[in-house]
Amino acid sequence: MRILGISAFYHDSAAALVEDGRIVAAAQEERFTRKKHDAAFPAKAVAYCLAEAGCGMADIDHVVFYEKPFVKFERLLETYLATSPRGFRSFRTAMPVWIKEKLFQKSMLRKQLGKIGGTKSWSGSLLFTEHHLAHAASAYFPSPFPSAAVLTMDGVGEWCTTSLGHGRGNTLKMLKEIHFPHSLGLLYSAFTYYTGFKVNSGEYKLMGLAPYGQPRFVQTIMDNLIDLKEDGSFRLDQRYFDYCTGLTMTSAAFHQLFGGPPRSPESPLTQREMDLAASIQVVTEEIVSRLARFARQETGETRLCLAGGVALNCVANGKLLKQGLFKDIWIQPAAGDSGGALGAALAVWYEYLGNARSVNGDDAMAGAYLGPAYGQNEIEGRLAAMGAVYSVVGDDDLIASTVDSLIEEKAVGWMQGRMEFGPRALGGRSILGDPRSPTMQKTLNLKVKYRESFRPFAPSVRREDVAEWFDIDADSPYMLLVGDVLDSQRLRPNREDTDLFGLDRLNVARSKIPAVTHVDYSARVQTVHRDTNPRYWDLLSAFKNRTGCPVLVNTSFNVRGEPIVCTPEDAYRCFMGTEIERLVVGNCVLRKEEQPEALRHDYKERFELD
């Protein structure tokens, strides 16, 4: 039994294929089209999933879409009628797309699937699931828990913006919902917009900026924008927002409340933006904490699963773990809309078809390594066709030479095995560096990633070593939990350093691993497990043997505005367009100084800024 899940037409389109309950493949369309957050029908991702399963569209038993378009259209119409005539401009903008495409989504999906299968229209079983059920299913069914409370939080699906579910065995019962326009995701996105970042991609920048500020606007937010109850339910005062009736996120009242218009994108950051980021982060953490407390009381469960875009807020996740409300927390690595494709497929397998579910203590995501992989011969052929100069080395020499490069403080492009599913690079498509270097964070941001200087980097650490460096002793394979660097690994700050504010704090070394230590001593930890990524685990082990440090800087293999690399060609282009000094693809090692000068190119301006 093969089930193909699809998410599309908003942002981060994706496809996932489940075969007899096993997750065979999952990937975002952006990785193939090289268009960040690509919202188009995921034709290339579907084709990849079919190839990975060794089948065609004729072999698919069910295709399931991750939301219900007619219910979403109902929300659009009701919102317009409730706010008329103020919302006419946004209504007029949205209507042509809905009338031309989205109201006929069923026939459009069949035509697109037919193209892939070589027919005019695919005639098999086409199903639709609710958006938040897809999120919840993506969180619960792959989790290692026999039962769990399930929280989903995002911008909006059809109507739902926040939901509480209870998973037991092969059933997932939805218990409570909060509906549009009251949305934690849209609240956070309003501040993303107001501080000058792009909605649906800049939220993680806002989270990274928060430690530079002081949360002086928390009471202003609580007194004016949101009515928050003890159980975590809330209502937003729509006078301060414009997402229902306009084409922006915030209103004039919002701007007056916080002292001026939104920051212009790419303009200098001020203390106001930093304080706003700190404030909305505190408010978000409080809302998530109350929702989780209510979930614990309502379900009686000691385990919690999370999904939806808000679940990518790893700072809130880390603080929730430390509170001890739940014994275990598991977060879907593709927590945003891309993960809805997987959740929809799993919902069909378990809920619609009623198949049994068994757990063995491991999650079913296989480390999120669910994308394409390339054999050694194919890697060599593809690189040679591009004119690349490379050496082929054995496994031991590969690890040793990579460690040499890291110790020399070189930036290393690392492409190994299957591509990750979700927004995080987890050692399959990563840029690596030495965390002990006091200049690595600045170098990677400005000369390799071409992004804002304040952005932090994550540490990868062997699972067995994590508690010796961070105040977290739990699995965090998907880089979705933040912990603090232990006191024993910190450096005592100079008196002058303690008096610094804002971005002036950026270049102060705070620990023995300054490149992955944020200004508040926090770190977005990835635990590396030998069973899911043995080559990356071996690299960390070798680096520890040479340096005494089992940690590496791990950031996604791309530049700002570019999707994470997928193919050897993508990796080589990024390598040759940035100041990455070494590239390791499979068992091929490439040195920048040996590459043809004619193949170097300016990569900085190639992609639209996110």
Side-chain angles (χ1 to χ4, degrees):
M1 173 73 69
R2 295 187 181 97
I3 303 164
L4 178 66
I6 291 174
S7 64
F9 309 130
Y10 181 47
H11 60 90
D12 296 303
S13 294
L17 196 146
V18 171
E19 184 176 277
D20 294 334
R22 181 177 68 89
I23 305 168
V24 173
Q28 297 107 297
E29 185 71 359
E30 67 165 23
R31 305 295 173 83
F32 304 97
T33 63
R34 312 309 299 155
K35 180 182 177 182
K36 189 77 168 177
H37 303 302
D38 196 341
F41 177 80
K44 294 181 183 294
V46 169
Y48 155 67
C49 288
L50 295 174
E52 189 67 36
C55 69
M57 281 306 306
D59 303 305
I60 298 297
D61 297 281
H62 300 281
V63 173
V64 54
F65 192 69
Y66 81 128
E67 62 183 9
K68 296 189 174 183
F70 278 101
V71 181
K72 201 164 191 173
F73 184 61
E74 173 191 81
R75 189 246 301 168
L76 188 71
L77 287 176
E78 287 196 24
T79 301
Y80 168 64
L81 292 172
T83 59
S84 178
R86 286 184 300 130
F88 180 71
R89 187 180 172 202
S90 62
F91 179 79
R92 183 179 61 188
T93 302
M95 274 306 97
V97 177
W98 275 97
I99 293 172
K100 184 179 178 181
E101 297 178 4
K102 296 190 178 183
L103 284 180
F104 302 98
Q105 210 159 87
K106 192 170 186 177
S107 60
M108 182 171 63
L109 286 169
R110 289 196 179 279
K111 287 180 182 177
Q112 292 287 349
L113 294 166
K115 286 182 184 178
I116 295 170
T119 62
K120 186 175 181 180
S121 177
W122 188 71
S123 59
S125 169
L126 179 59
L127 305 171
F128 294 82
T129 187
E130 291 183 352
H131 184 99
H132 270 256
L133 176 60
H135 275 319
S138 78
Y140 172 62
F141 289 125
S143 79
F145 308 147
S147 64
V150 186
L151 269 179
T152 69
M153 304 161 287
D154 68 359
V156 60
E158 295 89 355
W159 279 102
C160 183
T161 68
T162 304
S163 73
L164 168 62
H166 191 182
R168 282 184 286 197
N170 68 341
T171 64
L172 178 56
K173 184 179 180 181
M174 306 309 290
L175 304 177
K176 303 282 185 179
E177 292 184 348
I178 298 173
H179 284 182
F180 182 86
H182 310 293
S183 165
L184 177 54
L186 291 176
L187 174 65
Y188 203 88
S189 290
F191 281 86
T192 301
Y193 165 81
Y194 186 66
T195 51
F197 302 119
K198 188 176 288 188
V199 172
N200 289 329
S201 69
E203 283 77 8
Y204 53 89
K205 299 182 186 181
L206 194 67
M207 182 177 64
L209 187 63
Y212 293 97
Q214 298 297 321
R216 62 187 176 96
F217 295 108
V218 168
Q219 204 57 48
T220 303
I221 296 170
M222 290 293 201
D223 289 344
N224 295 278
L225 268 59
I226 187 168
D227 177 17
L228 177 62
K229 305 300 184 185
E230 276 303 311
D231 64 359
S233 62
F234 57 87
R235 294 182 65 83
L236 301 182
D237 189 333
Q238 291 303 302
R239 291 177 298 171
Y240 295 97
F241 303 95
D242 200 34
Y243 53 75
C244 284
T245 61
L247 300 176
T248 61
M249 295 299 297
T250 55
S251 69
F254 189 106
H255 307 162
Q256 183 177 4
L257 183 65
F258 293 107
R263 167 182 168 257
S264 297
E266 307 306 314
S267 64
L269 287 160
T270 69
Q271 193 63 46
R272 182 186 72 151
E273 283 80 48
M274 299 175 210
D275 293 347
L276 285 164
S279 302
I280 191 58
Q281 182 62 35
V282 168
V283 171
T284 298
E285 291 164 9
E286 180 62 25
I287 296 169
V288 170
S289 176
R290 293 192 192 188
L291 286 168
R293 193 177 302 116
F294 177 74
R296 177 78 172 83
Q297 295 168 355
E298 193 77 359
T299 65
E301 292 288 348
T302 60
R303 299 178 177 91
L304 175 67
C305 298
L306 296 173
V310 177
L312 294 172
N313 193 308
C314 50
V315 178
N317 296 341
K319 292 188 176 179
L320 187 60
L321 180 67
K322 288 179 183 178
Q323 288 177 19
L325 281 169
F326 290 89
K327 183 173 70 173
D328 293 301
I329 297 176
W330 192 85
I331 307 147
Q332 165 55 238
D337 277 7
S338 59
L342 175 61
L346 292 170
V348 170
W349 176 254
Y350 290 110
E351 289 281 295
Y352 183 72
L353 298 175
N355 288 295
R357 175 176 179 263
S358 61
V359 295
N360 59 7
D362 297 323
D363 74 59
M365 291 297 294
Y369 306 111
L370 296 168
Y374 299 87
Q376 183 61 28
N377 289 338
E378 186 177 9
I379 291 169
E380 293 177 31
R382 285 171 174 249
L383 290 176
M386 295 193 76
V389 176
Y390 57 87
S391 302
V392 180
V393 299
D395 292 351
D396 292 342
D397 289 341
L398 175 87
I399 297 295
S401 66
T402 303
V403 170
D404 288 340
S405 295
L406 291 165
I407 291 174
E408 293 165 6
E409 297 192 20
K410 290 179 169 58
V412 177
W414 178 261
M415 178 179 163
Q416 302 291 332
R418 297 184 72 177
M419 182 178 69
E420 302 91 338
F421 182 49
R424 309 297 188 209
L426 303 169
R429 304 289 187 277
S430 295
I431 299 172
L432 308 178
D434 187 342
R436 303 169 303 155
S437 168
T439 61
M440 185 58 65
Q441 191 255 5
K442 184 176 182 180
T443 297
L444 288 176
N445 267 332
L446 299 182
K447 294 186 177 182
V448 174
K449 301 283 284 188
Y450 303 130
R451 67 184 198 179
E452 299 91 346
S453 62
F454 68 84
R455 301 268 295 276
F457 288 106
S460 289
V461 58
R462 299 194 321 170
R463 172 62 180 92
E464 50 267 57
D465 296 317
V466 65
E468 296 176 14
W469 289 81
F470 306 97
D471 70 343
I472 179 174
D473 190 8
D475 293 350
S476 182
Y478 304 124
M479 211 182 281
L480 287 170
L481 293 172
V482 161
D484 291 335
V485 175
L486 290 179
D487 289 341
S488 59
Q489 307 294 354
R490 296 183 187 182
L491 301 178
R492 186 181 297 274
N494 296 324
R495 185 171 182 178
E496 305 84 54
D497 293 340
T498 60
D499 294 332
L500 296 175
F501 290 94
L503 294 183
D504 291 337
R505 301 160 63 198
L506 179 62
N507 296 318
V508 177
R510 289 173 174 76
S511 77
K512 298 174 185 177
I513 45 174
V516 294
T517 305
H518 209 6
V519 293
D520 57 353
Y521 295 99
S522 67
R524 179 162 43 97
V525 177
Q526 178 205 1
T527 56
V528 178
H529 302 248
R530 190 174 194 174
D531 57 338
T532 55
N533 196 332
R535 178 163 282 191
Y536 194 32
W537 188 92
D538 287 344
L539 180 65
L540 284 160
S541 299
F543 189 77
K544 178 183 179 181
N545 290 338
R546 291 276 299 278
T547 67
C549 176
V551 180
L552 288 175
V553 179
N554 177 12
T555 186
S556 55
F557 198 160
N558 61 342
V559 300
R560 183 182 174 190
E562 178 191 19
I564 295 173
V565 302
C566 176
T567 67
E569 292 91 338
D570 297 335
Y572 188 71
R573 279 188 288 265
C574 190
F575 170 60
M576 293 301 290
T578 65
E579 295 188 39
I580 296 173
E581 295 148 295
R582 295 286 184 271
L583 175 61
V584 185
V585 186
N587 282 68
C588 295
V589 177
L590 298 87
R591 296 169 174 81
K592 180 64 69 63
E593 62 272 16
E594 297 176 355
Q595 303 308 307
E597 192 65 29
L599 295 180
R600 296 194 183 216
H601 56 104
D602 182 8
Y603 214 59
K604 190 173 184 179
E605 307 298 331
R606 180 170 179 177
F607 297 94
E608 181 182 350
L609 295 181
D610 62 2

Short mmCIF file of all heavy atoms in Angstrom, two decimals, residues 31-55:
data_model
loop_
_atom_site.label_atom_id
_atom_site.label_comp_id
_atom_site.label_asym_id
_atom_site.label_seq_id
_atom_site.Cartn_x
_atom_site.Cartn_y
_atom_site.Cartn_z
N ARG A 31 14.09 22.44 -3.15
CA ARG A 31 15.43 21.86 -3.28
C ARG A 31 15.73 21.48 -4.73
O ARG A 31 16.89 21.44 -5.13
CB ARG A 31 15.55 20.62 -2.39
CG ARG A 31 15.22 20.87 -0.93
CD ARG A 31 16.20 21.81 -0.25
NE ARG A 31 15.75 22.15 1.09
CZ ARG A 31 15.96 21.41 2.18
NH1 ARG A 31 16.62 20.27 2.06
NH2 ARG A 31 15.52 21.82 3.36
N PHE A 32 14.68 21.20 -5.50
CA PHE A 32 14.86 20.80 -6.89
C PHE A 32 14.76 21.99 -7.85
O PHE A 32 15.50 22.06 -8.82
CB PHE A 32 13.82 19.74 -7.27
CG PHE A 32 13.83 18.54 -6.36
CD1 PHE A 32 12.93 18.45 -5.30
CD2 PHE A 32 14.74 17.52 -6.56
CE1 PHE A 32 12.94 17.34 -4.45
CE2 PHE A 32 14.75 16.40 -5.72
CZ PHE A 32 13.86 16.32 -4.66
N THR A 33 13.85 22.91 -7.56
CA THR A 33 13.66 24.06 -8.45
C THR A 33 14.63 25.19 -8.15
O THR A 33 14.78 26.10 -8.97
CB THR A 33 12.23 24.61 -8.33
OG1 THR A 33 12.01 25.09 -6.99
CG2 THR A 33 11.21 23.52 -8.65
N ARG A 34 15.26 25.17 -6.97
CA ARG A 34 16.18 26.20 -6.50
C ARG A 34 15.46 27.53 -6.29
O ARG A 34 16.08 28.60 -6.36
CB ARG A 34 17.37 26.38 -7.46
CG ARG A 34 18.06 25.09 -7.88
CD ARG A 34 18.44 24.19 -6.72
NE ARG A 34 19.38 24.83 -5.80
CZ ARG A 34 19.50 24.48 -4.51
NH1 ARG A 34 18.72 23.53 -4.00
NH2 ARG A 34 20.37 25.09 -3.74
N LYS A 35 14.17 27.48 -6.00
CA LYS A 35 13.38 28.66 -5.70
C LYS A 35 12.94 28.59 -4.24
O LYS A 35 12.14 27.73 -3.87
CB LYS A 35 12.16 28.74 -6.63
CG LYS A 35 11.28 29.95 -6.38
CD LYS A 35 10.07 29.93 -7.31
CE LYS A 35 9.15 31.12 -7.02
NZ LYS A 35 7.93 31.10 -7.87
N LYS A 36 13.46 29.47 -3.40
CA LYS A 36 13.22 29.42 -1.96
C LYS A 36 11.72 29.47 -1.65
O LYS A 36 10.99 30.30 -2.20
CB LYS A 36 13.93 30.60 -1.29
CG LYS A 36 13.95 30.56 0.22
CD LYS A 36 14.99 29.60 0.73
CE LYS A 36 15.21 29.79 2.24
NZ LYS A 36 16.17 28.82 2.77
N HIS A 37 11.28 28.58 -0.78
CA HIS A 37 9.88 28.49 -0.35
C HIS A 37 8.92 28.27 -1.51
O HIS A 37 7.78 28.73 -1.49
CB HIS A 37 9.46 29.74 0.44
CG HIS A 37 10.29 30.03 1.64
ND1 HIS A 37 10.45 29.14 2.68
CD2 HIS A 37 11.04 31.13 1.97
CE1 HIS A 37 11.24 29.66 3.60
NE2 HIS A 37 11.63 30.86 3.19
N ASP A 38 9.35 27.58 -2.53
CA ASP A 38 8.55 27.36 -3.73
C ASP A 38 7.17 26.83 -3.35
O ASP A 38 7.04 25.83 -2.62
CB ASP A 38 9.26 26.37 -4.65
CG ASP A 38 8.69 26.37 -6.07
OD1 ASP A 38 7.56 26.86 -6.26
OD2 ASP A 38 9.39 25.90 -6.98
N ALA A 39 6.13 27.51 -3.83
CA ALA A 39 4.75 27.14 -3.49
C ALA A 39 4.06 26.36 -4.60
O ALA A 39 2.90 25.97 -4.44
CB ALA A 39 3.95 28.41 -3.18
N ALA A 40 4.73 26.13 -5.71
CA ALA A 40 4.09 25.49 -6.85
C ALA A 40 3.81 24.01 -6.57
O ALA A 40 4.33 23.42 -5.62
CB ALA A 40 4.99 25.62 -8.08
N PHE A 41 2.96 23.42 -7.41
CA PHE A 41 2.73 21.98 -7.31
C PHE A 41 4.08 21.27 -7.31
O PHE A 41 4.92 21.51 -8.19
CB PHE A 41 1.89 21.48 -8.47
CG PHE A 41 1.69 19.99 -8.46
CD1 PHE A 41 0.73 19.42 -7.65
CD2 PHE A 41 2.49 19.16 -9.23
CE1 PHE A 41 0.55 18.04 -7.62
CE2 PHE A 41 2.34 17.79 -9.20
CZ PHE A 41 1.36 17.22 -8.38
N PRO A 42 4.34 20.37 -6.35
CA PRO A 42 5.67 19.79 -6.18
C PRO A 42 5.98 18.65 -7.15
O PRO A 42 6.24 17.50 -6.75
CB PRO A 42 5.66 19.31 -4.73
CG PRO A 42 4.23 18.94 -4.48
CD PRO A 42 3.42 19.96 -5.26
N ALA A 43 5.98 18.96 -8.44
CA ALA A 43 6.16 17.92 -9.46
C ALA A 43 7.48 17.21 -9.32
O ALA A 43 7.57 15.98 -9.43
CB ALA A 43 6.04 18.54 -10.85
N LYS A 44 8.55 17.96 -9.07
CA LYS A 44 9.88 17.35 -8.96
C LYS A 44 10.01 16.55 -7.67
O LYS A 44 10.64 15.48 -7.65
CB LYS A 44 10.96 18.42 -9.06
CG LYS A 44 11.02 19.10 -10.42
CD LYS A 44 12.13 20.14 -10.47
CE LYS A 44 12.14 20.88 -11.81
NZ LYS A 44 12.51 19.97 -12.92
N ALA A 45 9.42 17.04 -6.59
CA ALA A 45 9.47 16.30 -5.33
C ALA A 45 8.67 15.00 -5.43
O ALA A 45 9.08 13.95 -4.92
CB ALA A 45 8.93 17.16 -4.18
N VAL A 46 7.52 15.05 -6.12
CA VAL A 46 6.73 13.84 -6.35
C VAL A 46 7.52 12.85 -7.18
O VAL A 46 7.59 11.64 -6.85
CB VAL A 46 5.39 14.18 -7.04
CG1 VAL A 46 4.70 12.90 -7.51
CG2 VAL A 46 4.47 14.95 -6.09
N ALA A 47 8.15 13.33 -8.24
CA ALA A 47 8.93 12.44 -9.10
C ALA A 47 10.07 11.79 -8.32
O ALA A 47 10.35 10.59 -8.51
CB ALA A 47 9.49 13.23 -10.29
N TYR A 48 10.71 12.57 -7.44
CA TYR A 48 11.76 11.98 -6.60
C TYR A 48 11.21 10.89 -5.70
O TYR A 48 11.78 9.79 -5.60
CB TYR A 48 12.45 13.06 -5.75
CG TYR A 48 13.05 12.45 -4.51
CD1 TYR A 48 14.14 11.57 -4.62
CD2 TYR A 48 12.48 12.65 -3.25
CE1 TYR A 48 14.65 10.93 -3.49
CE2 TYR A 48 12.99 12.03 -2.13
CZ TYR A 48 14.08 11.16 -2.25
OH TYR A 48 14.58 10.52 -1.14
N CYS A 49 10.07 11.16 -5.04
CA CYS A 49 9.49 10.17 -4.13
C CYS A 49 9.15 8.87 -4.86
O CYS A 49 9.40 7.77 -4.34
CB CYS A 49 8.25 10.74 -3.44
SG CYS A 49 8.59 12.01 -2.21
N LEU A 50 8.59 9.00 -6.05
CA LEU A 50 8.27 7.81 -6.83
C LEU A 50 9.52 7.04 -7.21
O LEU A 50 9.56 5.80 -7.12
CB LEU A 50 7.50 8.21 -8.10
CG LEU A 50 6.12 8.85 -7.90
CD1 LEU A 50 5.57 9.32 -9.23
CD2 LEU A 50 5.15 7.88 -7.22
N ALA A 51 10.57 7.76 -7.61
CA ALA A 51 11.82 7.10 -7.97
C ALA A 51 12.44 6.39 -6.77
O ALA A 51 12.96 5.27 -6.89
CB ALA A 51 12.80 8.13 -8.55
N GLU A 52 12.37 7.02 -5.61
CA GLU A 52 12.94 6.42 -4.40
C GLU A 52 12.20 5.14 -4.04
O GLU A 52 12.80 4.17 -3.56
CB GLU A 52 12.87 7.41 -3.24
CG GLU A 52 13.63 6.99 -1.99
CD GLU A 52 15.13 6.96 -2.17
OE1 GLU A 52 15.69 7.81 -2.89
OE2 GLU A 52 15.77 6.05 -1.58
N ALA A 53 10.89 5.14 -4.28
CA ALA A 53 10.08 3.95 -3.99
C ALA A 53 10.13 2.93 -5.13
O ALA A 53 9.62 1.81 -4.98
CB ALA A 53 8.64 4.36 -3.72
N GLY A 54 10.69 3.31 -6.25
CA GLY A 54 10.77 2.41 -7.40
C GLY A 54 9.41 2.11 -8.00
O GLY A 54 9.12 0.98 -8.40
N CYS A 55 8.57 3.14 -8.09
CA CYS A 55 7.22 2.93 -8.61
C CYS A 55 6.79 4.12 -9.45
O CYS A 55 7.50 5.13 -9.53
CB CYS A 55 6.22 2.70 -7.47
SG CYS A 55 5.90 4.16 -6.46
#
